[in-house]
Amino acid sequence: MAATEETSVSGTDGRRTARDETHEERADRRWTELMQEIRVAQTGVQIMLGFLLTVVFTPTFQGLGQTDKTIYLITVVLGSLATGALIAPVAFHRIVSGRNLKPHGVAWASRLTFTGLVLLLATLTSSLFLILRVATHNQYVPWLVAGVVAWYLCCWFVLPFWVRFRHASGDED
């Protein structure tokens, strides 16, 4: 059977994919890979949110102007949303586990993870903007932040999508 034909032969009937794995084996592998990826992002976003939550209790926070306090509140909300989205796959798995829904769980966990990464990007952007505003009061802060965001976008999204579309064989992992 040709590789293109093998790719289309996957389903819940136990047939094998191009990687010589059943639909269920593929879901298990993808779930394991996704959990490894999430662990990295979860740790980072949780540490960042923890630090953000303590800022409000510092004397410096009280001296911030209303604009900076608003940026801070937006940053904390974004960090909380990112944390929720990146932890959600674990809760999702717990709730659907054992119900023969793993392929659906993997798809939803992947969507939640991607959403969490976008929210993490927004949190990092907002945090960096606030920190540079407070630290420098410099007119170049928006440009510096835009440059860092462009870097994140290139590393996290542009490059992976470019590789995906340029080198995709039509076979989903």
Side-chain angles (χ1 to χ4, degrees):
M1 192 181 290
T4 54
E5 292 176 56
E6 282 182 312
T7 305
S8 63
V9 182
S10 78
T12 57
D13 58 3
R15 290 184 286 179
R16 304 195 80 79
T17 66
R19 291 189 88 157
D20 196 31
E21 57 189 2
T22 65
H23 194 59
E24 290 77 19
E25 289 169 339
R26 179 176 186 257
D28 288 341
R29 177 182 53 80
R30 291 182 74 206
W31 181 260
T32 301
E33 290 172 356
L34 185 60
M35 286 300 101
Q36 292 299 326
E37 295 164 3
I38 290 172
R39 281 187 184 102
V40 173
Q42 277 179 343
T43 302
V45 75
Q46 288 171 327
I47 290 169
M48 184 173 56
L49 182 61
F51 281 120
L52 284 170
L53 293 174
T54 65
V55 169
V56 74
F57 300 107
T58 65
T60 304
F61 181 81
Q62 303 311 319
L64 293 179
Q66 189 56 48
T67 301
D68 291 331
K69 286 181 179 179
T70 301
I71 295 168
Y72 168 78
L73 293 174
I74 290 168
T75 303
V76 169
V77 170
L78 287 169
S80 296
L81 293 171
T83 301
L86 290 169
I87 292 174
V90 176
F92 196 99
H93 182 261
R94 275 297 98 220
I95 292 169
V96 303
S97 181
R99 307 243 186 305
N100 295 322
L101 297 171
K102 188 167 272 181
H104 298 288
V106 169
W108 278 104
S110 182
R111 291 176 189 125
L112 288 163
T113 302
F114 190 82
T115 301
L117 290 174
V118 170
L119 289 165
L120 178 58
L121 173 65
T123 306
L124 289 168
T125 301
S126 184
S127 297
L128 183 62
F129 184 64
L130 177 61
I131 289 166
L132 292 177
R133 269 180 59 94
V134 171
T136 68
H137 303 289
N138 193 319
Q139 63 190 11
Y140 298 111
V141 167
W143 295 105
L144 290 170
V145 172
V148 172
V149 170
W151 174 251
Y152 286 151
L153 289 171
C154 284
C155 292
W156 292 8
F157 302 108
V158 174
L159 181 60
F161 277 119
W162 178 77
V163 169
R164 178 178 176 176
F165 292 118
R166 177 149 165 85
H167 301 288
S169 64
D171 178 26
E172 284 188 42
D173 68 349

